[in-house]
Amino acid sequence: MLHSIIIPCYKSSQTIRKVVEMTAEELEKLNIHDYEFVLVDDYSPDDGATLAELKALARDHAYVKVISLAKNSGQHNAVMAGLNYASGDLLIAMDDDMQTHPSQLKYLLAEIDKGYDIVYGYYPEKKHSLFRNFGSFMNYITVRILIGKPKDMKTSSYWVIRRFVRDYVIQYQSPYTHLQGLFLRTTRNISCIPIKHYEREVGQSGYTFKKLLQLYSNIMGYSVVPLRMATYCGYFFSALSILGAVAVVIRKLLNPAMAIGWPSMMCAICFFSGIIMLFMGLIGEYLGRMFLGMNRQPQFVVREVFEQSSFSASPGDTTTADHSSLEHGAATAHHLKGTDEKTVPKDYSTPVDSET
């Protein structure tokens, strides 16, 4: 059984080698010898240091495959790129910073051997910052409300899935990827187990407030609950306005000298105008995402793929494993055939010119 370890990499030149080699050692201890690493460089802004280290790993180890993205696509889309290129029967996602520690992998693999389709590792005690923990809490609440995530299901970026889950997940081609949403609409045979969360060894998280907010908003694409909330709010404020009008009439009848104030009217106008604009924006967000989906905005664009065979080619040989601009719909169709072949598509003679 082939195990594929997918690691999105972002400014991880100082840690990724340790992650890969320690994980390989752990797999060997578990008597697992058939494995591959799919390392996705998410266009790290470090002057090529991360990509250089990933290429060195691919040169040193035959089990390493490196996917270099042409533009930063975000962690979830980078994982999707790895899923498209992975060939394993079990697929494992990890981080590049040693917080999802290789020593905890044995617990996830033991749990999925019980027959689950997906196993998450979760952290009873997190080593994230207060801001990051707050973002995780808001994401947990949002996913529960919008897509019916089970109350006792706890998640993280450390998980194991079966091949059939991957085959269905990669059919999703919108750039607004939220892996929890995709997993939950594929299967409910999911388990989660507590594991130890380690301190980040180098640097700090690449998740800014803007990126957390963007990831948080991606879950809208898996639910119509926000649109229904707009309808419910419309009902609520309509009823409230009727009650307010009745109250004003009664007060005017009881006290004919009462003046109807201009400030209160303006406050009401501004408040309800704000509510209308808020939900108009929400509807516009849905329409905008539908528009981008119809225009086939890609999740990611692959600049090159590196494997050990790429470096063993002769200097004059241009038929290496490097590929320009992955047409990843072709990789999706290839997976769905159910073959055991590699998922990297053909090297097209004319590169696809597209932007993320």
Side-chain angles (χ1 to χ4, degrees):
M1 177 183 289
L2 177 62
H3 292 65
S4 294
I5 299 89
I6 299 163
I7 305 178
C9 303
Y10 188 79
K11 297 193 291 186
S12 54
S13 58
Q14 300 179 60
T15 57
I16 189 59
R17 179 174 289 273
K18 184 176 180 180
V19 172
V20 169
E21 294 180 347
M22 282 188 65
T23 304
E25 290 176 6
E26 287 295 324
L27 291 169
E28 293 291 342
K29 290 178 184 177
L30 297 171
N31 203 29
I32 297 172
H33 310 294
D34 194 11
Y35 53 84
E36 65 174 0
F37 285 81
V38 182
L39 311 179
V40 184
D41 175 39
D42 195 14
Y43 201 68
S44 300
D46 54 3
D47 298 321
T50 296
L51 182 58
E53 185 61 28
L54 297 183
K55 289 169 70 174
L57 279 165
R59 186 183 297 110
D60 296 342
H61 303 291
Y63 54 74
V64 171
K65 181 188 300 180
V66 174
I67 314 298
S68 172
L69 300 187
K71 187 177 181 179
N72 180 263
S73 300
Q75 182 181 9
H76 285 223
N77 284 339
V79 173
M80 284 290 279
L83 290 173
N84 273 272
Y85 273 86
S87 306
D89 302 293
L90 287 179
L91 299 99
I92 303 156
M94 301 176 64
D95 290 340
D96 58 353
D97 55 8
M98 293 297 291
Q99 287 192 292
T100 54
H101 204 271
S103 64
Q104 306 300 296
L105 182 57
K106 57 187 176 185
Y107 303 116
L108 278 74
L109 294 177
E111 186 72 6
I112 204 165
D113 284 342
K114 297 177 182 178
Y116 293 105
D117 299 328
I118 300 173
V119 172
Y120 278 102
Y122 73 89
Y123 314 116
E125 296 182 7
K126 291 186 177 182
K127 303 298 183 180
H128 289 148
S129 65
L130 183 63
F131 167 72
R132 182 73 181 274
N133 286 335
F134 175 74
S136 298
F137 173 75
M138 291 302 299
N139 184 64
Y140 169 77
I141 295 297
T142 303
V143 174
R144 276 200 60 200
I145 295 172
L146 297 187
I147 59 176
K149 175 183 174 181
K151 185 177 181 179
D152 57 348
M153 179 180 159
K154 300 176 182 179
T155 62
S156 72
S157 56
Y158 203 177
W159 43 257
V160 184
I161 64 174
R162 296 191 183 277
R163 184 186 180 97
F164 87 90
V165 177
R166 187 282 308 273
D167 289 344
Y168 279 95
V169 164
I170 62 175
Q171 294 182 56
Y172 181 82
Q173 296 185 21
S174 168
Y176 300 101
T177 304
H178 195 283
L179 289 169
Q180 276 189 50
L182 290 172
F183 289 163
L184 282 169
R185 73 184 193 182
T186 302
T187 179
R188 291 300 173 110
N189 185 25
I190 302 174
S191 178
C192 54
I193 58 170
I195 57 175
K196 185 178 178 181
H197 197 211
Y198 285 71
E199 294 279 0
R200 188 182 182 94
E201 291 202 349
V202 178
Q204 58 185 1
S205 173
Y207 270 110
T208 61
F209 176 76
K210 180 180 178 181
K211 289 183 178 180
L212 282 173
L213 189 62
Q214 182 179 6
L215 178 60
Y216 169 81
S217 68
N218 281 355
I219 196 62
M220 287 199 313
Y222 304 85
S223 174
V224 295
V225 170
L227 295 176
R228 290 174 180 165
M229 287 175 59
T231 303
Y232 297 147
C233 283
Y235 290 148
F236 173 76
F237 287 114
S238 295
L240 192 65
S241 64
I242 292 171
L243 292 175
V246 171
V248 169
V249 170
I250 293 174
R251 290 187 63 190
K252 186 68 175 177
L253 291 173
L254 296 175
N255 182 14
M258 184 187 72
I260 303 299
W262 180 85
S264 59
M265 183 179 65
M266 292 304 299
C267 288
I269 290 173
C270 290
F271 175 74
F272 288 110
S273 297
I275 293 294
I276 291 169
M277 295 300 294
L278 172 66
F279 287 109
M280 285 289 289
L282 178 65
I283 295 168
E285 183 72 19
Y286 274 94
L287 292 176
R289 294 188 179 203
M290 290 172 60
F291 173 77
L292 292 174
M294 289 188 292
N295 279 276
R296 298 181 63 81
Q297 180 178 349
Q299 291 173 335
F300 54 86
V301 178
V302 172
R303 182 186 298 277
E304 294 176 297
V305 177
F306 300 96
E307 296 180 89
Q308 194 174 68
S309 58
S310 307
F311 305 100
S312 60
S314 60
D317 185 5
T318 59
T319 58
T320 67
D322 298 351
H323 301 271
S324 299
S325 299
L326 168 67
E327 188 93 23
H328 81 277
T332 301
H334 179 89
H335 280 307
L336 296 179
K337 292 178 182 178
T339 64
D340 292 327
E341 299 173 6
K342 296 293 183 181
T343 61
V344 182
K346 294 186 295 184
D347 188 6
Y348 298 99
S349 58
T350 304
V352 179
D353 185 12
S354 60
E355 295 181 357
T356 54

